[in-house]
Amino acid sequence: MTLTELPAPRVDDAAPAAPRPPRVRWRAAGRLARRRLLFVVPVLVVVSGGVFAVADASPFDPLAGYLGDRYLTASEQAQARIADELGTGRPWWQQYGDWLGGLLTGDLGVSRSFGQPVAQVLAERLPWTLLLTGVSLGLAVLTALLLGTWSAARRGGWVDRVVTSTCLLLQAVPPFVIALGAVALFALGLAWLPVAGLTDAGAELTVGQVARHLVLPAAVLAASQLPWLLLNVRQSLLAALADDAVLAARARGLAESTVVLRHALPTALLPFVTLLGARLPELVVGAVLVEEVFSWPGLAQAVVTSAVELDFPLLAVLTLLTTAAVLLGSLLADVAYVLLDPRVAADG
Amino acid sequence: MADRRLRAGVVLLVLLAGYALLVPWLAGVDDRVTDFAAARQGPSWAHLFGTDSAGRDLFVRTAAGLRVSLFIAVVCALLSVLIGALVGALSAAAGGWVDRLTMRVVDGVNAVPHLLLGIVLVALFRGSLVAIIASIALTHWTQVARIVRAEVLSLRDREHVDAALLGGATRWRVVRRHLLPAALPQALVAAVLLLPHAVWHESTLSFLGLGLPPHAASLGTLLQEARSSLLLGGWWTLVFPALGLVLATLAVAAIGAALRDRAALPERAGAQL
């Protein structure tokens, strides 16, 4: 089984699958979650170990990462002493072991580019990233459901054509180009919204300020994810509308809105849940680019800062954290799928 | 439908490639040479796409950037196919625990956001073209591996393979002579499907200031430059390189989608950035 695709649902041909009682589904979901968690841990260990191994192979001297500009002025003895203290001269697996040990005891090291302990950087920036990605994802999902259902229900109409072709075009525009275009149009050209940042320069951190500065980045991030979600909703709803059950519902004379919303949509939403999990890496990538363009003080921007400044302790933790978030997100999507779909026999 | 899409994609790609290859050559100027007297000029007959903050002609520079980006994308796609085809074919031919382990590795690579791996790799080997190419190839081979593996699995139990094994051919020879060539067409379609992602990946890394150095034109470095020029009203620094990027993406995506439909590959193939 792969991470992003569930096994093909095993449908019993002989008898129509009766919805299983909730308790059975929860147990199946629990088994699935347990098995998948067993996969998460080795991946995290390999990924973080890989970061250390690559750093070891790279021409970059870890001391330069710790010392910054002082690296150029520090004497050789001083460098040797610091290398000894930090243990950077040792083989990478020993350093990795120490780092893992520190991680487990809550010591994440110090970030040079922010001049703070890594834990503090995380604590200060995580909420802003969660705010941005949460709002964007909510916006994208809502829009995808509304417009996707509308365009599938009125297939071939002008709404459908406009929405579909806009999505196909938007799929070809990278998130950072959408971001730059939005800045050029709405912030610089029309001057409706601020260019970047969390608040106006020197302004107090208030809800109104943050909300005004959130509009553009959140809209851009949502727009960069929207086409995939929307086209998926439209496609699966069209497939569901061609189903015999829908034909039967129509034959019983049910209103069109009842047919679409009560009979077709629930079936169509199942693949959507899986897609949401599969799109998580893209959401992370989008967040990195949007936060960078809009100077949004979140974790994704810190990824870029720590990479540009070669702030290794922060970069390693952020890599681990992002990977964990993506793995857990796709796990959640699969668990939701098992809970929602009465047919899936979770094979765990 | 598929054919119209294929034709439109090919025509667009040929036009773009012609522009990217011919313009820098015909213009006869080095796109990196600065001319500060001509800085920040809007589009005109002398400079069709305007000039950037160092007075470099953007008509020439966008062409040069497009050339670099397309070149990197093609190399990355070919490398990904090479890795993916080998891993996929060997994994399917070996079967058993080797196959299961390989598929777990594929899952693992897919689980990490690809751009993040790229950022880490490129940050540690700064400004190196090899690092950029490696970071893209090393994260994009998994789709190809899946496709080739599925193809080889369906071929493995065919009679000509049995005949070759009975005739005393080694496993490796069977993979090389019978299984890989049969899976090659599908792998090449997968390569085309990878192209748009490789273009995006490179331009994104360069945009973040981690890819190519700023003076080297690539679509990413041009858009990075546009970021500051925009604040001074230079809309043309954004519009033309972005147009090049979007058109190139649309062209290769159209070709890829048309080929995918012909090869009857699943919709999801190549869906991950």
Side-chain angles (χ1 to χ4, degrees), chain A residues 273-347:
Chain A
V273 173
T274 319
L275 179 76
L276 275 184
R279 291 291 304 173
L280 267 178
E282 265 84 338
L283 185 69
V284 169
V285 168
V288 168
L289 291 166
V290 168
E291 288 194 0
E292 171 63 20
V293 171
F294 288 98
S295 306
W296 187 257
L299 275 187
Q301 195 205 19
V303 170
V304 180
T305 312
S306 63
V308 171
E309 309 240 332
L310 278 175
D311 183 355
F312 193 68
L314 184 58
L315 189 58
V317 170
L318 286 176
T319 311
L320 188 71
L321 203 67
T322 319
T323 313
V326 168
L327 284 170
L328 291 178
S330 90
L331 172 79
L332 275 183
D334 286 356
V335 167
Y337 193 103
V338 172
L339 290 181
L340 290 173
D341 188 351
R343 294 165 310 175
V344 167
D347 61 339

Side-chain angles (χ1 to χ4, degrees), chain A residues 58 60 282 292 307-308 326-327, chain B residues 107 111 123-124 126 200 227 273:
Chain A
S58 86
F60 126 81
E282 265 84 338
E292 171 63 20
V308 171
V326 168
L327 284 170
Chain B
D107 287 346
L124 291 167
R126 184 70 53 84
W200 277 31
R227 211 181 142 185
L273 178 66

Side-chain angles (χ1 to χ4, degrees), chain A residues 260-271:
Chain A
V260 172
L261 297 179
R262 298 287 301 277
H263 290 253
L265 197 58
T267 332
L269 284 186
L270 275 175

Side-chain angles (χ1 to χ4, degrees), chain A residues 1-5 39 47 54-55 58-60 171-174 176-177 180 184 188 281-282 285 289 292-293 303 307-308 310 319 322-323 326-327, chain B residues 104 107-108 111-113 115-116 119-121 123-126 146 200 203-204 207-208 210 223 227 230-231 238 242 245-246 249-250 268 271-273:
Chain A
M1 194 188 76
T2 71
L3 270 175
T4 48
E5 302 157 31
F39 175 66
V47 165
V54 168
S58 86
F60 126 81
Q171 272 185 330
V173 190
F176 66 94
V177 174
L180 288 180
L188 297 170
E282 265 84 338
V285 168
L289 291 166
E292 171 63 20
V293 171
V303 170
V308 171
L310 278 175
T319 311
T322 319
T323 313
V326 168
L327 284 170
Chain B
R104 281 289 134 141
D107 287 346
V112 187
L115 186 74
L116 191 72
I119 287 178
V120 171
L121 216 58
L124 291 167
F125 295 86
R126 184 70 53 84
R146 278 227 179 97
W200 277 31
S203 56
T204 303
F207 175 73
L208 291 175
L210 290 162
L223 289 166
R227 211 181 142 185
L230 268 185
L231 297 173
L238 169 66
L245 182 54
V246 171
T249 313
L250 280 175
R268 269 184 38 79
Q272 196 153 35
L273 178 66

